[in-house]
Amino acid sequence: MSEWNGMILTQKGLNLQAKVEAGECELELLRVELGSGTPGEDENVQEFTALKKHEIDVGISDKTPKDGGICTITGIITNQNVNIGFYAKEMGVIANDPDDGEILYMYATDNNPDFVPAKTSKYVVNASYSINVAISNAEMINATIDSAGLVTVSILNHYIENHNEDNTTHANLFKTLFNITEVNATKIKDKIKSYGKEVVQELFGIASATTDNIKSKVKEWAQEQIETWLESQGIRYNIAQNGYICLGHFFGDAIIQWGDCIIKIGSIEQDVDFPISFKSYGFCSVGILQESSDTVIIKYMDKHTTASTIRFRLSQVSSGVDTWIKFLSIGK
């Protein structure tokens, strides 16, 4: 099991820390590096500007400021990019110096290094490294978080908590989504109402989403649905002077028809077309003189009555005025 010695500030690291303490810049931490080299006995690690033998870079997954001027950075190592296995004997923290560019800021060695196998090995490595960085004001430490790096559950929970507690988390998203310049509940509600009206207007094909317009469209749609259902059941009707009602499958496809006809002066009979044709002859047809109590009954099998026509005949020739007859026919 690894036994990392304490991190040592390199000379360049000391120089950068002095600039940070003087308020000249922030401490910008870029990444962590692991290597397999070992310092010689006569070497001063404080003078190192790079690892002895660099192996892999480890992205910074989290930065957590703590009390006492301490900031903990976390890196997670995997062997998915390791071509040749190595012992992780040395570690360095890389920072950005405004004058010198990238520098080896801190350095440490391991007396009992772990072996990092190659990616072709059957073993998968997933290890977390936490490094404490000390400075008078931990808020002045700016760590570059690697967006492609792995995160632990605790790191993920930390960011979720910060996200949930930040009232301005999605401000820019809301501004873009709702086309508003200021984000508050009232403006968002107003936009949602506006979008809702636009959807209703498009859905119902109306110019303005008023209550009356919507009610009218709903009634129109409901009427269409009812008529479609009635027609599917064979129920049809035409309520007119000469009209009909088809009662549909529920009533044996019976049809009731009615209407008026005129027998002209000097005539004794008249053929009348039904409003719609029966599929077979009518069961019963009755004609009633409009201005008398006389009736004329046309029998079902009368040779002058067909599925589409009925003939009325008077007992005597009409004289003086035309004769109006109302008729009612039932059939199928």
Side-chain angles (χ1 to χ4, degrees):
M1 186 172 180
S2 62
E3 296 177 1
W4 289 99
N5 298 314
M7 279 282 184
I8 298 175
L9 279 170
T10 65
Q11 186 58 55
K12 284 186 174 290
L14 288 170
N15 294 340
L16 175 57
Q17 185 169 12
K19 298 175 186 177
V20 174
E21 296 286 359
E24 297 178 11
C25 62
E26 286 186 334
L27 177 56
E28 183 182 357
L29 303 178
L30 302 178
R31 63 183 179 277
V32 177
E33 294 182 352
L34 288 180
S36 58
T38 302
E41 293 184 0
D42 58 343
E43 287 186 293
N44 181 1
V45 298
Q46 223 174 17
E47 296 177 355
F48 281 8
T49 57
L51 301 186
K52 294 291 292 182
K53 187 178 181 181
H54 174 273
E55 296 288 352
I56 60 172
D57 291 340
V58 180
I60 298 173
S61 297
D62 187 40
K63 178 200 77 167
T64 307
K66 298 181 178 179
D67 295 336
I70 300 295
C71 180
T72 300
I73 60 172
T74 302
I76 300 176
I77 178 178
T78 71
N79 62 333
Q80 61 183 1
N81 295 319
V82 177
N83 295 318
I84 300 175
F86 68 95
Y87 283 95
K89 298 179 181 179
E90 56 180 345
M91 177 191 299
V93 177
I94 308 301
N96 182 55
D97 187 297
D99 300 316
D100 297 334
E102 290 189 5
I103 64 166
L104 179 63
Y105 180 71
M106 301 174 72
Y107 181 83
T109 57
D110 192 341
N111 295 329
N112 188 25
D114 288 330
F115 183 72
V116 181
K119 61 184 178 182
T120 54
S121 169
K122 63 179 180 179
Y123 300 105
V124 177
V125 172
N126 186 348
S128 174
Y129 288 93
S130 294
I131 304 168
N132 289 327
V133 179
I135 200 167
S136 60
N137 183 1
E139 296 294 337
M140 297 177 66
I141 300 176
N142 178 21
T144 301
I145 306 299
D146 184 1
S147 60
L150 299 174
V151 295
T152 62
V153 172
S154 60
I155 292 174
L156 181 61
N157 288 337
H158 167 71
Y159 279 105
I160 290 176
E161 288 176 5
N162 288 344
H163 176 89
N164 291 339
E165 293 174 2
D166 188 350
N167 293 329
T168 63
T169 299
H170 297 299
N172 289 331
L173 174 62
F174 284 129
K175 288 179 181 178
T176 302
L177 183 63
F178 292 104
N179 192 26
I180 53 180
T181 56
E182 182 183 355
V183 178
N184 58 55
T186 301
K187 290 188 178 295
I188 292 175
K189 286 180 181 178
D190 289 343
K191 275 294 182 178
I192 292 175
K193 288 179 182 178
S194 176
Y195 290 156
K197 288 183 178 179
E198 290 177 8
V199 171
V200 170
Q201 289 171 188
E202 183 175 352
L203 180 64
F204 287 97
I206 54 181
S208 177
T210 63
T211 302
D212 289 341
N213 286 345
I214 294 172
K215 284 182 178 179
S216 176
K217 275 294 181 179
V218 170
K219 288 179 180 178
E220 181 181 317
W221 176 83
Q223 184 66 28
E224 290 176 358
Q225 298 306 307
I226 292 171
E227 290 177 356
T228 299
W229 180 83
L230 290 176
E231 187 172 348
S232 71
Q233 301 304 314
I235 301 173
R236 294 175 294 143
Y237 57 90
N238 180 22
I239 309 302
Q241 183 174 344
N242 285 36
Y244 62 88
I245 298 177
C246 300
L247 299 178
H249 311 321
F250 296 117
F251 296 92
D253 292 318
I255 302 174
I256 300 173
Q257 303 198 60
W258 63 88
D260 294 343
C261 73
I262 303 174
I263 298 180
K264 296 291 186 178
I265 298 173
S267 298
I268 195 170
E269 61 185 20
Q270 178 66 43
D271 290 340
V272 180
D273 292 333
F274 288 122
I276 62 171
S277 296
F278 289 108
K279 293 181 180 178
S280 58
Y281 296 143
F283 293 133
C284 180
S285 296
V286 178
I288 303 174
L289 299 178
Q290 289 189 349
E291 297 182 359
S292 77
S293 60
D294 295 338
T295 63
V296 179
I297 300 176
I298 308 302
K299 294 181 180 179
Y300 171 62
M301 291 299 292
D302 188 287
K303 64 180 180 180
H304 296 295
T305 299
T306 68
S308 60
T309 305
I310 185 171
R311 175 174 291 184
F312 290 103
R313 184 180 181 87
L314 300 176
S315 57
Q316 60 185 17
V317 175
S318 176
S319 62
V321 294
D322 294 338
T323 302
W324 282 80
I325 296 176
K326 284 188 174 295
F327 69 89
L328 179 69
S329 297
I330 302 174
K332 65 179 292 184

